[in-house]
Amino acid sequence: MTLLNEPRTRRRRLGVATAAAGLLAALLTAVPAAATPDPGDAPKAPKKVSKSDAADTKRAIADGKIPAPDEIVHSDNIEHLGNIPKDALPGTNSDLAFQGKYAFAGNYDGFRIFDISNPKKPETVAQVLCPGSQNDVSVSGDLLFLSTDSSRSDSSCASTTQPATEKSSWEGMKVFDISDKRNPRYVAAVETACGSHTHTLVPERRNVYVYVSSYSPSAAFPDCQPPHDGISVIKVPRKAPQKAAVVGFPVLFPGEGPDGGGNPGSPTNPGVSKTTGCHDITVLPSEDLAAGACMGDGILFSIKDPERPKVIDRVQDNVNFAFWHSATFNQDADKVVFTDELGGGGGATCNAEIGPNRGADGIYEIKGWGDKRKLVFKSYYKIPRHQADTENCVAHNGSLIPVKGKDLMVQAWYQGGVSVWDFTNSAKPKEIAYFERGPLSADQLVGGGSWSAYYYNGHIYSNDMVKGFDVLKLNDKRTDPAKRVRLRELNVQTQPEYFNKH
């Protein structure tokens, strides 16, 4: 382990007061890679910003309004315990999952497994090279699931990029056996319409159902034809994962015409994405309930029959939401937090020009009972710290912090960092802690920052797209009770019942 001391300390002048912190970094020996990362899945090139925007960024850094490139700032109640930089997998880091003493981290070039039994000194256990964006990852028992949402030459881990216009191209779900964490074994592949941008597990004793979210069909794509107005459902037998197969494609947005019945988007609703599928789904198995963030729509649906989900309610926000990205239930299952990924994750939207209601979270309360339940909008939440115009920043992936009687959440905001916030009062959400780095560049917009930030067994884990795997410790009397909650497994999109209500 190498300790890198941060010589400067400075308090941020926007939002909650913070102090610069030391950076604990570990570059650990990787499992040898057998293939070559595919440049076809490389992140987008940096974007130029105007001279005035670059000058504003440099002035804000000089004035102490934002941290300098690579400088770490955080609220006094967060401690940065450690960081593992990217190693043999140079691609963009993506989602996280957890099981026992292990964390599983997706990367556009494959996935990584960390031993987090000592959160101060996380260690790399395995790195699996298997290119195919965006490689969102989930685990259940001895199985690991990996989403492939880029058109590949075949389903192997040695595949290369290939146009989606070619019938032989492949996109979908990959399944690995992780009974030996040091040697994951690729056991199954299931092709799905339009690939798998994200996925959500609905686990049962004998089978694991996988809800596959994907979108953006085209008449030119043989395996991604419009209308793409539903989700693929895969059934995976635990004892025979090689028999995994698609068992249905439930339509969530029925309607006439080639585009189905989802939000028509622009020009009918200017600035809003047309609904051609879902981006992400979160299930609450204890309540047989799910929430879908589906581009131009937010939905609530029943999963009593996991192969045939039934939509209960559907909402739109054609004023402030551009792209419904993800969803999180509170512990009492009477609220849903939806996120708006304005700019697709590549834009600088955490500034005064965009304002507090766009690129934000939307808090909805669930009213009524059974199939009569309705989603009712209450308020927006956005980080209170303005970011530079060279920083991509928008609401992204987060999880609950399990404190009984409270609605607390930790969330990633790309280069806006990690925010801990309280939405117990749905109408008045507030930030209570944060962690962030300065911009990757003061001269151009370079994609980076925290993709996912989740609370698991007493610590916050963040997968930074560029900087690697971070471990944070939250020291706050409002969140301390969560340290007593222990889980054997956590896939954030398959929300656990933290406190038994049944």
Side-chain angles (χ1 to χ4, degrees), residues 32-82:
T36 303
D38 189 346
D41 289 318
K44 295 179 180 179
K47 300 176 184 176
K48 292 183 178 180
V49 298
S50 67
K51 291 182 179 179
S52 62
D53 283 345
D56 287 345
T57 298
K58 293 174 182 177
R59 190 178 305 113
I61 291 171
D63 292 343
K65 293 181 179 179
I66 64 171
D70 283 341
E71 181 182 3
I72 290 177
V73 294
H74 57 78
S75 53
D76 293 334
N77 54 356
I78 276 186
E79 181 182 358
H80 188 204
L81 296 184

Side-chain angles (χ1 to χ4, degrees), residues 413-478:
W413 289 77
Y414 290 119
Q415 286 193 71
V418 175
S419 176
V420 179
W421 58 289
D422 184 334
F423 63 104
T424 307
N425 183 339
S426 303
K428 294 183 178 180
K430 59 182 180 181
E431 184 174 77
I432 62 175
Y434 76 89
F435 167 92
E436 68 168 289
R437 291 179 169 89
L440 289 168
S441 171
D443 299 297
Q444 54 187 346
L445 179 56
V446 181
S450 179
W451 179 291
S452 297
Y454 299 146
Y455 187 93
Y456 176 70
N457 290 356
H459 292 83
I460 292 170
Y461 299 91
S462 167
N463 211 19
D464 188 290
M465 295 165 65
V466 174
K467 296 299 182 179
F469 182 72
D470 287 306
V471 185
L472 309 176
K473 185 178 181 181
L474 189 58
N475 298 299
D476 192 295
K477 63 181 181 181
R478 293 165 291 188

